[in-house]
């Protein structure tokens, strides 16, 4: 604390010195740097409100005299303050001004940096699609210019997007890319900023492993971030955060002594720099620690401190606005009093023959004011009552919306339970991927996978072998209605296999239609809902694929052997088998589904899918993606590993969609033989 006091005293002296220089400086352009220096001194205290005022004065002067370099520097300082204070509207306004200036000057590097800042602003406002849009622009610039530092920042930014979307594995993949670059930049470097960035990356990776539940890996990376942060303390805000995460991790593995030590260091450092967000995080960490230990009294005390500080942080901005409004009100009241006093003096100086008439005018005016005040008071009371009622209704609506959202979120858990887990899919089909992007919280698309042993029996897709059955289904509608139909369809599929012992896809689809119609026939109202589906039965040992489809097709990409190259067969080709033109569900011209059998070769790839990807609007003209373009995309990525194919497909979808809304659920399954 003595060190901090010395820093604050030094900052105070620096502020006085710079203010004296500004007062004596006659040239406006020379004041720009002085105001920026003054802002830095206020940040050291830390006093971000006064720092922001100084930076905005510097920016205004730089804009006025078109000193572009100083304008950009001032904008950057404003953005740092806004991020710390959580003032994202002002941050957005400044970042857009920065972007427009960079575009006007055709400064591509600063355009890229402005895009990065806009991405982080949208990310903090929980708008990942918008954030990704701006991060990708930054990513493109970094790749074109081969700037490794920028490329590492781009990887980190994209990791933040995936983490916000609840995709920790994807986020970890991008952070690993950032870490590789930071390690190369760190090798032989003596720059503390490089070391600090590496420490921050370690901490981000630790946080992701915590989310995944791999606490051992999380602690290893957390310890690395602390070791670097202590050795190169360029940013005390980050170091306090490192300690707090480390403490939380030790709590999770029940290493309570180490948790208390780490949280204590984080708390002390956060308090020394008055960093309220980290103080709040430390309080929360202590509450969880004591709760784990069974010390509920201390757990409750720390939780109270956490809740109080959380409320304080939320109310600080509102209190400041109320104080400003109150000051304006008091100033207006003083002005009214002075005006009234001047009027009285003027009235006394008026000739006596006008006094009676002025008195009557005053009385009449007073009566009018009283009457007007009565109307105003009545109007105010009516408006206040209306606002109270609106507030009540708003609260009711918010509660109902929360109940609906919670119910749908729980429905997602139920729907997820009917989908085969990723671990099981990889065990049955190691070379495979499933791209699954619901439009809403729950989805009308679902996928199915089951492995069965085939005994010698009629009607089977094979005999004496194991079959892997998998399907991609698109139910009527999306969201909650589609999800309800998906549960009906998935249940019926399991019944067709387990209860009726069917293995041939065409027979299964016939039985599936019967079961779905039986389910909906129980309703008093006529239900015409159903689904389109592509169903495969793969005999891996004999490399035979048995398939049948309702509307949806099957695509098989044939990989030609090396002996074929040179005979015009070097490029992979897609074989398409179309499904029957009838859905699963109620249909007047019903006929038995057609059975198809395909002999596969090593390296062939099977693709089944729903229509969401091809029907997505986007691109330069806002048109549908269409199946032809999807075929070309699959051919272009077919030589990649299956997980890489999935990433490329997802990137292409998001790039095509851009800022437009996703129109339908998306599901693509790829399997390499």
């Amino acid at each position: 604390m003595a060190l901090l006091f010395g820093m604050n005293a030094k900052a105070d002296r620096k502020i006085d010195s710079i203010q004296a220089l500004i007062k004596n400086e006659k040239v406006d352009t020379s004041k720009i740097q002085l105001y920026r220096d003054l802002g830095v001194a206020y940040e050291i205290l830390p006093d971000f409100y006064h720092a922001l005022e100084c930076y905005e004065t510097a920016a205004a002067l730089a804009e006025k005299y078109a000193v572009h370099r100083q304008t950009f520097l001032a904008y950057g300082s404003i953005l740092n303050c806004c991020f710390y204070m959580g003032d994202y509207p002002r941050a957005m306004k400044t970042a857009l001004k920065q972007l427009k200036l960079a575009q006007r000057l055709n400064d591509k590097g600063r355009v890229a940096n402005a895009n990065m800042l806009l991405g982080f602003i949208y990310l903090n406002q929980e708008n990942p699609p918008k954030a990704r849009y701006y991060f990708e622009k930054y990513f493109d610039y970094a790749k074109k210019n081969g700037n490794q530092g920028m490329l590492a920042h781009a990887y980190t930014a994209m990791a933040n997007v995936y983490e916000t979307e609840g995709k920790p594995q994807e986020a970890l993949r991008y952070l690993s890319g950032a870490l590789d670059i930071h390690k190369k930049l760190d090798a032989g470097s003596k720059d503390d900023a490089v070391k600090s960035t590496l420490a921050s990356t370690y901490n981000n990776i630790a946080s992701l492993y915590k989310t995944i539940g791999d606490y051992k890996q999380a602690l290893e990376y957390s310890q690395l971030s602390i070791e670097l942060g202590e050795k190169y303390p360029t940013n005390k805000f980050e170091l306090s955060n490192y300690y707090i995460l480390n403490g939380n991790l030790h709590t999770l593995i029940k290493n309570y002594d180490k948790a208390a030590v780490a949280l204590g260091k984080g708390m002390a450092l956060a308090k020394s720099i008055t960093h309220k967000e980290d103080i709040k995080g430390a309080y929360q960490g202590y509450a969880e620690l004591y709760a784990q230990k069974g010390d509920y009294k201390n757990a409750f005390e720390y939780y109270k401190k956490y809740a109080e500080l959380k409320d304080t942080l939320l109310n600080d901005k509102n209190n400041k606005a109320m104080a400003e409004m109150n000051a304006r009100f008091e100033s207006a009241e003083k002005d009214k009093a002075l005006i009234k006093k001047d009027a009285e003096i003027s009235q006394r100086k008026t000739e006596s023959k006008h006094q009676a008439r002025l008195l009557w005018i005053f009385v009449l005016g007073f009566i009018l004011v009283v009457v007007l005040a009565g109307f105003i008071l009545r109007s105010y009371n009516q408006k206040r009552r209306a606002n109270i009622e609106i507030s009540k209704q708003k609260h009711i609506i918010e509660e109902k919306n929360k109940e609906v959202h919670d119910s749908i979120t729980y429905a997602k858990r139920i729907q997820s339970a009917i989908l085969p887990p990723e671990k099981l899919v990889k065990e049955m089909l190691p070379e495979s991927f499933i791209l699954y992007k619901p439009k809403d919280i729950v989805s009308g698309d679902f996928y199915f996978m089951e492995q069965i042993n085939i005994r010698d029996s009629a009607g089977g897709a094979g005999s004496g072998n194991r079959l892997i059955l998998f399907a991609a289904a698109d139910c009527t509608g999306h969201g909650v209605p589609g999800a309800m139909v998906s549960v009906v369809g998935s249940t019926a599929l399991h019944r067709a296999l387990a209860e009726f012992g069917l293995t041939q896809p065409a027979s299964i689809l016939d039985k599936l239609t019967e079961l779905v119609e039986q389910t909906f026939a129980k309703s008093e109202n006529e239900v015409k809902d159903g689904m389109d589906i592509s169903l495969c039965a793969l005999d891996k040992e004999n490399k035979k694929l048995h398939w049948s489809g309702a509307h949806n097709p099957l695509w098989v990409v044939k990989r030609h052997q090396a002996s074929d190259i040179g005979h015009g067969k070097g490029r992979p080709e897609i074989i398409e088998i179309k499904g029957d033109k009838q859905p699963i569900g109620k249909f007047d011209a019903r006929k038995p589904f057609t059975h198809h059998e395909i002999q596969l070769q090593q390296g062939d790839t099977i693709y089944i899918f729903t229509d969401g990807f091809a029907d997505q609007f986007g691109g330069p003209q806002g048109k549908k993606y269409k199946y032809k373009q999807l075929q070309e995309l699959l051919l272009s990525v077919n030589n990649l590993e299956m997980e890489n194919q999935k990433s490329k497909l997802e990137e292409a979808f998001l790039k095509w969609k851009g800022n437009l809304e996703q129109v339908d659920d998306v599901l693509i399954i790829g399997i390499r033989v």
Side-chain angles (χ1 to χ4, degrees):
M1 290 301 292
L3 176 62
L4 181 65
F5 178 78
M7 288 172 61
N8 287 352
K10 187 175 180 180
D12 285 333
R13 290 195 298 272
K14 186 76 172 175
I15 288 168
D16 293 339
S17 172
I18 297 172
Q19 285 175 334
L21 289 172
I22 291 172
K23 187 175 180 181
N24 294 325
E25 181 59 60
K26 304 299 181 186
V27 181
D28 281 350
T29 51
S30 300
K31 292 181 181 179
I32 299 171
Q33 184 61 48
L34 289 172
Y35 274 113
R36 287 190 60 244
D37 292 342
L38 186 58
V40 171
Y42 273 120
E43 277 197 70
I44 292 170
L45 285 177
D47 181 348
F48 288 96
Y49 290 105
H50 283 98
L52 191 57
E53 289 178 357
C54 295
Y55 292 142
E56 288 189 330
T57 303
L61 286 171
E63 289 169 357
K64 180 179 178 181
Y65 294 103
V67 186
H68 299 312
R69 180 177 176 277
Q70 288 282 9
T71 305
F72 281 115
L73 291 171
Y75 285 158
S77 299
I78 290 169
L79 284 163
N80 285 337
C81 282
C82 289
F83 273 116
Y84 181 81
M85 295 162 65
D87 189 348
Y88 297 116
R90 189 182 296 189
M92 177 72 73
K93 180 180 177 182
T94 305
L96 287 171
K97 287 169 69 176
Q98 191 178 55
L99 178 60
K100 288 177 183 176
L101 178 58
Q103 288 172 336
R104 192 170 73 243
L105 297 173
N106 197 27
D107 189 332
K108 294 180 180 178
R110 286 197 167 107
V111 168
N113 286 327
N115 282 322
M116 171 65 88
L117 289 165
L118 283 164
F120 275 114
I121 293 167
Y122 277 113
L123 196 63
N124 278 287
Q125 292 180 321
E126 297 184 358
N127 190 341
K130 269 283 191 182
R132 180 185 281 104
Y133 172 77
Y134 285 105
F135 287 154
E136 284 177 347
K137 289 177 177 289
Y138 182 87
F139 214 144
D140 289 342
Y141 177 83
K143 284 190 286 189
K144 286 177 183 176
N145 286 270
N147 187 315
Q148 293 299 298
M150 291 183 74
L151 198 57
H153 288 312
Y155 278 124
T156 303
M158 293 300 291
N160 286 328
V161 171
Y162 282 111
E163 185 177 11
T164 305
E165 290 179 333
K167 299 176 180 177
Q169 294 289 359
E170 286 294 319
L172 195 57
R173 187 166 64 85
Y174 277 95
L175 267 185
S176 297
L179 181 60
D180 290 342
I181 295 173
H182 286 314
K183 283 182 176 178
K184 290 176 184 175
L185 294 175
D186 178 59
S189 173
K190 296 181 180 179
D191 188 347
D192 285 4
V194 174
K195 308 284 186 185
S196 178
T197 304
L198 182 58
S200 177
T201 305
Y202 282 138
N203 190 65
N204 289 337
I205 293 174
S207 179
L208 276 174
Y209 274 120
K210 176 176 177 280
T211 302
I212 294 168
D214 189 342
Y215 302 137
K216 181 181 177 182
Q217 286 273 43
L219 272 169
E220 288 179 7
Y221 281 101
S222 174
Q223 197 58 45
L224 288 170
S225 70
I226 288 174
E227 288 170 5
L228 273 177
E230 288 176 338
K231 194 172 181 181
Y232 304 98
T234 57
N235 192 331
K236 291 184 179 180
F237 301 141
E238 291 193 354
L239 184 55
S240 64
N241 184 262
Y242 301 165
Y243 284 131
I244 292 166
L245 175 61
N246 190 264
N248 291 335
L249 287 167
H250 280 298
T251 297
L252 287 167
I253 63 170
K254 305 188 186 318
N255 197 338
Y256 301 133
D257 291 340
K258 288 187 177 181
V261 170
L263 288 170
K265 288 181 178 180
M267 173 79 83
L269 191 55
K271 284 186 173 180
S272 75
I273 53 177
T274 324
H275 192 210
K276 292 182 180 179
E277 281 293 340
D278 278 355
I279 295 172
K280 182 186 74 173
Y283 283 150
Q284 187 179 21
Y286 271 121
E288 291 171 358
L289 169 62
Y290 282 115
Q292 286 267 24
K293 292 173 70 176
D295 185 349
Y296 298 112
K297 181 181 177 182
N298 273 320
F300 179 68
E301 289 300 318
Y302 275 104
Y303 184 79
K304 274 203 307 183
K305 290 180 180 180
Y306 160 75
E308 287 168 3
L309 185 53
K310 183 179 178 183
D311 291 342
T312 300
L313 289 170
L314 288 172
N315 291 330
D316 275 350
K317 195 170 181 180
N318 293 337
N319 290 340
K320 184 174 184 291
M322 289 175 66
E324 290 176 357
M325 290 173 63
N326 190 53
R328 291 176 185 172
F329 174 76
E330 289 177 356
S331 176
E333 289 298 306
K334 288 177 182 178
D335 289 344
K336 288 179 185 177
L338 289 171
I339 292 168
K340 185 177 179 182
K341 188 174 181 180
D342 288 343
E344 289 173 354
I345 293 170
S346 176
Q347 185 177 354
R348 283 197 297 270
K349 291 181 178 180
T350 306
E351 296 179 4
S352 58
K353 64 179 180 179
H354 298 297
Q355 286 181 355
R357 184 171 59 184
L358 290 172
L359 182 60
W360 278 109
I361 292 171
F362 175 76
V363 170
L364 288 171
F366 179 75
I367 292 169
L368 286 172
V369 169
V370 170
V371 172
L372 182 60
F375 279 116
I376 292 171
L377 182 61
R378 181 186 175 194
S379 175
Y380 169 77
N381 286 331
Q382 289 175 341
K383 186 175 181 180
R384 185 172 63 86
R385 285 194 294 271
N387 285 340
I388 292 171
E389 185 61 31
I390 290 169
S391 179
K392 288 180 181 177
Q393 295 298 322
K394 180 185 176 187
H395 179 71
I396 292 169
I397 291 169
E398 286 174 347
E399 285 295 316
K400 292 295 182 186
N401 283 342
K402 185 177 183 301
E403 289 175 10
V404 171
H405 185 272
D406 290 346
S407 297
I408 295 173
T409 302
Y410 190 76
K412 180 184 179 182
R413 290 172 58 189
I414 295 171
Q415 187 183 37
S416 297
I418 73 171
L419 300 176
E422 185 177 349
K423 183 180 178 182
L424 179 63
V425 173
K426 287 297 183 183
E427 284 177 1
M428 289 191 283
L429 296 166
E431 290 195 72
S432 65
F433 72 79
I434 299 176
L435 176 61
Y436 184 53
K437 294 180 70 65
K439 178 184 184 297
D440 303 307
I441 297 174
V442 289
S443 173
D445 286 6
F446 74 93
Y447 53 93
F448 172 88
M449 192 166 292
E450 190 74 57
Q451 181 172 276
I452 57 175
N453 294 318
I454 304 301
R455 296 186 301 273
D456 292 334
S457 60
S463 62
N465 296 321
R466 286 186 302 173
L467 281 182
I468 299 173
L469 285 97
F470 54 95
D474 181 0
C475 299
T476 306
H478 47 73
V480 174
M484 294 175 72
V485 179
S486 76
V487 173
V488 173
S490 179
T491 304
L493 267 174
H494 281 287
R495 284 188 65 196
L497 269 64
E499 186 177 334
F500 296 95
L502 300 175
T503 60
Q504 188 187 78
S507 301
I508 294 171
L509 294 191
D510 289 333
K511 177 57 70 174
L512 181 60
T513 299
E514 179 187 329
L515 294 173
V516 169
E517 287 185 359
Q518 285 177 4
T519 301
F520 290 145
K522 296 173 184 177
S523 171
E524 293 181 359
N525 302 314
E526 185 180 13
V527 179
K528 295 184 178 179
D529 291 320
M531 69 194 77
D532 299 336
I533 188 169
S534 182
L535 175 62
C536 298
L538 177 61
D539 180 349
K540 290 179 69 176
E541 185 175 339
N542 296 313
K543 294 185 175 58
K544 281 188 179 181
L545 180 68
H546 306 268
W547 177 83
S548 187
H551 282 308
N552 289 352
L554 166 72
W555 289 353
V556 178
V557 175
K558 304 291 290 182
R559 296 294 297 275
H560 292 294
Q561 304 300 315
S563 60
D564 293 331
I565 300 173
H567 299 284
K569 296 183 179 180
R571 186 175 186 268
E573 61 177 344
I574 284 186
I575 296 173
E576 179 179 36
I577 303 176
K578 295 183 178 180
D580 292 302
K581 294 188 178 298
Q582 58 183 16
I584 303 296
K586 194 171 183 62
F587 185 68
D588 293 335
R590 172 69 59 196
K591 62 180 182 179
F593 281 96
T594 308
H595 175 72
H596 300 270
E597 184 175 312
I598 305 100
Q599 182 63 53
L600 302 173
Q601 301 294 328
Q602 186 76 26
D604 290 350
T605 312
I606 304 160
Y607 295 104
I608 56 175
F609 44 84
T610 59
D611 58 4
F613 198 118
D615 286 349
Q616 178 61 44
F617 290 99
Q621 298 178 332
K623 294 183 177 180
K624 283 187 178 183
Y625 196 85
K626 296 187 178 178
Y627 288 103
K628 180 65 176 175
Q629 191 172 350
L630 180 57
Q631 283 190 350
E632 291 297 324
L633 176 60
L634 288 173
L635 285 171
S636 70
V637 302
N638 184 256
N639 62 319
L640 302 176
E641 295 296 326
M642 300 307 287
E643 281 300 321
N644 288 341
Q645 287 190 37
K646 176 183 175 181
S647 298
K648 291 294 183 184
L649 288 171
E650 188 165 16
E651 287 175 15
F653 179 78
L654 294 172
K655 186 175 181 181
W656 179 263
K657 181 173 76 69
N659 295 325
L660 297 180
E661 182 183 357
Q662 184 173 332
V663 298
D664 199 358
D665 304 311
V666 172
L667 173 60
I668 300 178
I669 299 175
I671 294 166
R672 179 166 289 158
V673 179

